[in-house]
């Protein structure tokens, strides 16, 4: 599952935004027969649905092995959504699953400043990563003038090597 999709005419859609980020409503994509939506990562066809926990998202009919968005864990998706919601609650514009123009990185959450320039990426990092890999990936963002903060749920060796936060496990959507 992912929170973003691409429509040929409407552009990029973000299921976490009321207007999908393009001035359209969820009813324009959810359960609409014949609607052609694509995954921004692999280009495969995706469909809109609502999870049992009421989270709107896009899914591949058949999960492709090579697509990173399709193969992220539910916990990773939930943390990304929580990070975007926190940035928005703080007054920033935040978009989920945004790739750089050069394609050398894809931010889980990209935060924009008052002049609408990308200035901070928030990366949900739940899988193991070496400090060297974390630094290399952080440097990729820095070359494009984007700061990066890694966010994890438990202590990891890379947390002292790069800008990072450790947070508590987010509450599930719809959970009390």
């Amino acid at each position: 599952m992912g929170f973003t999709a691409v429509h040929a005419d409407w552009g990029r859609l973000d299921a976490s935004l009321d207007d999908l980020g393009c001035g359209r409503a969820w009813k324009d994509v959810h359960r609409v027969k014949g609607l052609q939506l694509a995954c921004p990562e692999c280009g495969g066809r995706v469909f809109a649905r609502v999870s049992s926990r009421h989270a709107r998202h896009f899914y591949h009919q058949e999960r492709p092995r090579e697509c990173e968005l399709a193969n992220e864990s539910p916990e990773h998706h939930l943390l990304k959504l929580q990070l975007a919601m926190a940035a928005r609650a703080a007054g920033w514009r935040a978009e989920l699953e945004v790739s750089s123009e050069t394609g050398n990185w894809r931010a889980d959450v990209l935060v924009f400043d008052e002049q609408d320039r990308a200035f901070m990426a928030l990366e949900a990092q739940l899988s193991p990563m070496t400090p060297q890999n974390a630094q290399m990936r952080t440097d990729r963002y820095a070359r494009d003038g984007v700061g990066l903060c890694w966010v994890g749920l438990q202590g990891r060796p890379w947390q002292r090597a790069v800008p990072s936060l450790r947070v508590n496990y987010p509450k599930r959507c719809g959970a009390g």
Side-chain angles (χ1 to χ4, degrees):
M1 103 174 164
F3 294 109
T4 56
V6 177
H7 183 275
D9 296 324
W10 306 336
R12 190 173 179 281
L13 311 177
D14 184 334
S16 71
L17 296 169
D18 288 338
D19 73 347
L20 303 179
C22 66
R24 306 300 293 205
W26 184 248
K27 66 179 178 60
D28 295 334
V29 298
H30 186 235
R31 297 185 176 173
V32 176
K33 292 186 185 211
L35 183 67
Q36 297 289 318
L37 299 175
C39 172
E41 180 80 15
C42 70
R45 188 164 184 202
V46 295
F47 302 88
R49 75 173 167 199
V50 179
S51 74
S52 60
R53 300 200 183 264
H54 311 289
R56 301 182 326 185
H57 63 277
F58 300 100
Y59 72 99
H60 294 77
Q61 190 166 15
E62 293 183 29
R63 181 182 292 173
R65 291 179 191 226
E66 71 283 352
C67 180
E68 288 184 32
L69 283 177
N71 292 297
E72 291 175 340
S73 70
E75 294 81 12
H76 185 88
H77 285 288
L78 181 58
L79 183 54
K80 287 193 308 189
L81 182 58
Q82 294 289 326
L83 292 171
M85 290 170 52
R88 292 171 185 158
W92 301 105
R93 183 170 78 84
E95 292 185 13
L96 287 149
E97 303 162 354
V98 179
S99 293
S100 69
E101 290 181 13
T102 59
N104 63 344
W105 51 260
R106 178 181 45 83
D108 287 335
V109 178
L110 193 58
V111 182
F112 297 83
D113 67 15
E114 298 87 355
Q115 286 78 40
D116 213 31
R117 296 176 302 213
F119 79 96
M120 176 63 67
L122 303 173
E123 284 291 341
Q125 186 63 33
L126 304 181
S127 59
M129 175 173 62
T130 66
Q132 296 80 10
N133 192 22
Q135 187 62 60
M136 180 211 41
R137 292 174 63 189
T138 300
D139 292 345
R140 275 192 231 157
Y141 285 88
R143 283 192 291 274
D144 289 342
V146 177
L148 175 60
C149 183
W150 296 95
V151 181
L153 300 176
Q154 58 185 322
R156 299 285 189 175
W158 47 263
Q159 288 176 326
R160 296 211 181 262
V162 293
S164 60
L165 294 171
R166 192 170 108 197
V167 298
N168 291 327
Y169 197 83
K171 291 181 180 179
R172 292 198 173 264
C173 296

